Amino acid sequence: MSTAAAAAPNKKAAFEPEEVSLHRIRITLTSRNVKNLEKVCADLIKSARDQRLKVKGPVRLPTKRLNLVVRKSPCGEGTNTWDHYEMRIHKRLIDLHSPSEVVKQITSISIEPDVEVEVTIAQSKNCLLYTSPSPRDMRRSRMPSSA
């Protein structure tokens, strides 16, 4: 009886769910092409929902419009004719609540070539744990400190 009693708690412990720390993961997508951006958003959300994760988004942020007005004439002579150029930058936010290991599986989808993806991971709303460092920050961390 003592061996059966000792084995019972082990079986019970094996069936209990493990506590996994959930992180709030914010994926920021930026592109000049709306169709490609929406396709990547839909693919990310579909793969996250397939893994039964809590998803919020896509949140459509205001479009940035960059305008450039230039003279047509290179020498400045003649009538005042102008060319107008505009570039629109579209941005989407997607929030996920999941373990950080799952992010690689979600972001392994094929991402269109002109869509930029930025992933930030936070444990709680106010505590930022990880952002991908820029190359400039990497150079600064390697420099020896003069004390």
Side-chain angles (χ1 to χ4, degrees):
M1 278 201 152
S2 62
T3 57
N10 293 338
K11 287 183 181 179
K12 193 173 188 180
F15 290 113
E16 291 179 8
E18 294 181 18
E19 280 194 36
V20 178
S21 62
L22 291 180
H23 297 288
R24 185 176 57 89
I25 300 164
R26 174 163 284 177
I27 302 172
T28 306
L29 303 166
T30 308
S31 177
R32 290 181 283 149
N33 189 338
V34 181
K35 284 186 179 181
N36 291 347
L37 184 65
E38 291 293 335
K39 180 181 180 296
V40 172
C41 279
D43 291 346
L44 278 172
I45 291 172
K46 183 180 179 230
S47 63
R49 289 200 172 131
D50 287 346
Q51 294 185 7
R52 301 181 192 278
L53 298 178
K54 186 177 178 184
V55 180
K56 289 185 180 180
V59 177
R60 290 165 178 84
L61 296 178
T63 303
K64 289 184 182 177
R65 292 174 45 186
L66 306 175
N67 293 317
L68 185 64
V69 181
V70 295
R71 280 288 299 270
K72 282 187 180 181
S73 173
C75 63
E77 296 287 327
T79 59
N80 294 339
T81 53
W82 300 86
D83 275 331
H84 300 272
Y85 297 102
E86 179 179 272
M87 181 170 59
R88 295 181 181 187
I89 299 174
H90 306 275
K91 204 171 199 180
R92 305 286 186 266
L93 290 179
I94 299 173
D95 284 334
L96 304 172
H97 293 280
S98 69
S100 57
E101 298 84 30
V102 178
V103 178
K104 280 191 177 180
Q105 297 171 0
I106 295 170
T107 56
S108 65
I109 64 166
S110 64
I111 296 173
E112 299 296 320
D114 62 339
V115 177
E116 294 180 24
V117 179
E118 181 182 332
V119 179
T120 55
I121 301 174
Q123 188 169 8
S124 65
K125 291 181 181 177
N126 298 329
C127 177
L128 184 66
L129 290 181
Y130 172 80
T131 57
S132 57
S134 67
R136 186 176 5 165
D137 295 335
M138 296 299 287
R139 284 191 298 249
R140 286 182 185 166
S141 65
R142 286 188 210 142
M143 290 183 179
S145 62
S146 58

